[in-house]
């Protein structure tokens, strides 16, 4: 069976390829999609600090002037998460707070006015949802770290191939369609090098290989093409709640 999913909703999938006629209504379709950086993206998607300024300009916002560590009290959040967060994300949130990119991508922040935009509350909810994918319907409940491979379904099932035991995910945002945006936290990487991954509402993942600001700049300019996000990010770009 060699299938390609061309459209996916919460209740159905449209597929092409050999063997599609063998699928039954109760069958499960799963997988992942890696977003490779092409030469244009590699040349134009700059350092995180430069991308943060460019992201602000694209969204019609003033350039960030608040120094990293000011604006929000990051210590309680980072203590609870057990890691320091990427500097470009903190710089952006210090300057602009939580908000919605093009009325579609929600960027969460600590102590946001709305609970659904609060970083810690949102990340807790995102983990509750993703545990089902990692462990399957019989072993997903409980507050256990995603990197605990003893809880994963046999043969990794829906665990993406790039996720290893001991890794983690931290969700910094979501979309109006119920998708989650994460950092892929790897022990060997410093926070500024954590790549962004999208978990769409169905079973598919997209791995962007770049961090918060660079990923959003790429998505807004078209230098990164997402199967599930790009269609919603048309100009002129906006930010706010």
């Amino acid at each position: 069976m060699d299938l390609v999913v061309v459209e996916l909703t919460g209740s159905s999938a449209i597929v092409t390829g050999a063997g599609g006629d063998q699928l039954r209504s109760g069958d499960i379709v799963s997988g992942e999609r890696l977003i490779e950086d092409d030469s244009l993206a590699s040349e134009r998607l700059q350092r995180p600090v430069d991308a943060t300024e460019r992201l602000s300009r694209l969204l019609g916002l003033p350039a960030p002037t608040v120094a990293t560590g000011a604006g929000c009290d990051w210590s309680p959040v980072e203590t609870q998460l057990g890691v320091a967060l990427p500097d470009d994300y903190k710089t952006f949130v210090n300057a602009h707070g939580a908000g919605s990119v093009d009325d579609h991508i929600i960027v969460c922040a600590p102590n946001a006015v709305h609970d659904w935009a609060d970083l810690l509350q949102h990340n807790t909810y995102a983990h509750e949802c993703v545990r089902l994918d990692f462990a399957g319907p019989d072993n997903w409940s409980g507050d256990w770290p995603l990197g605990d491979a003893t809880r994963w379904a046999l043969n990794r099932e829906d665990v993406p191939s790039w996720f290893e035991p001991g890794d983690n995910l931290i969700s910094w945002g979501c979309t109006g369609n119920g998708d989650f945006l994460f950092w892929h936290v790897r022990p060997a990487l410093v926070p500024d090098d954590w790549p962004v991954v999208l978990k769409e509402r169905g079973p598919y993942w997209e791995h962007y290989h770049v961090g918060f600001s660079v990923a959003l700049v790429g998505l807004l300019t078209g230098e990164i093409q997402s199967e599930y996000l790009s269609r919603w990010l048309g100009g002129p770009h906006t930010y706010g709640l």
Side-chain angles (χ1 to χ4, degrees):
M1 188 177 293
D2 182 15
L3 301 178
V4 176
V5 176
V6 295
E7 184 174 337
L8 188 66
T9 71
S11 59
S12 64
I14 299 175
V15 300
T16 62
D21 57 335
Q22 300 178 39
L23 285 176
R24 300 180 301 272
S25 60
D27 286 344
I28 297 173
V29 180
S30 63
E32 61 190 271
R33 181 172 185 261
L34 301 182
I35 306 300
E36 301 293 345
D37 304 328
D38 61 23
S39 59
L40 177 62
S42 300
E43 292 174 2
R44 298 189 60 189
L45 297 182
Q46 309 128 328
R47 297 178 303 150
V49 63
D50 298 325
T52 303
E53 296 180 1
R54 188 180 178 198
L55 174 61
S56 297
R57 292 197 302 271
L58 287 168
L59 295 172
L61 302 171
T65 58
V66 180
T68 299
C72 289
D73 184 2
W74 293 100
S75 294
V77 174
E78 293 178 327
T79 297
Q80 187 159 339
L81 292 172
V83 290
L85 294 173
D87 286 341
D88 62 330
Y89 164 76
K90 291 193 288 188
T91 298
F92 182 85
V93 168
N94 283 337
H96 308 304
S100 176
V101 177
D102 290 358
D103 292 323
H104 189 64
I105 297 178
I106 303 295
V107 176
C108 297
N111 304 312
V113 174
H114 303 289
D115 289 347
W116 43 265
D118 179 81
L119 178 65
L120 289 178
Q121 294 188 57
H122 168 73
N123 183 61
T124 297
Y125 172 68
H127 274 230
E128 291 173 354
C129 296
V130 171
R131 284 192 189 99
L132 179 62
D133 291 67
F134 276 61
D138 299 324
N139 198 34
W140 69 275
S141 62
D143 185 14
W144 48 273
L146 295 175
D148 181 0
T150 66
R151 303 296 298 262
W152 296 353
L154 295 177
N155 302 318
R156 295 181 61 111
E157 294 289 340
D158 293 323
V159 179
S161 61
W162 41 262
F163 195 89
E164 298 295 337
D167 289 0
N168 197 11
L169 297 171
I170 295 176
S171 184
W172 54 263
C174 57
T175 75
N177 290 339
D179 313 312
F180 295 119
L181 287 146
F182 292 96
W183 287 293
H184 176 201
V185 179
R186 299 175 58 191
L189 294 181
V190 298
D192 287 346
D193 291 337
W194 292 344
V196 165
V197 293
L198 164 71
K199 173 63 170 66
E200 56 97 28
R201 190 172 183 177
Y204 278 83
W205 300 81
E206 290 184 347
H207 196 293
Y208 293 117
H209 303 286
V210 291
F212 168 80
S213 294
V214 178
L216 284 182
V217 167
L219 289 166
L220 292 178
T221 60
E223 294 162 1
I224 293 176
Q225 286 293 314
S226 164
E227 184 75 17
Y228 307 101
L229 290 179
S230 294
R231 76 189 71 174
W232 302 99
L233 302 175
H237 302 299
T238 59
Y239 189 77
L241 287 180

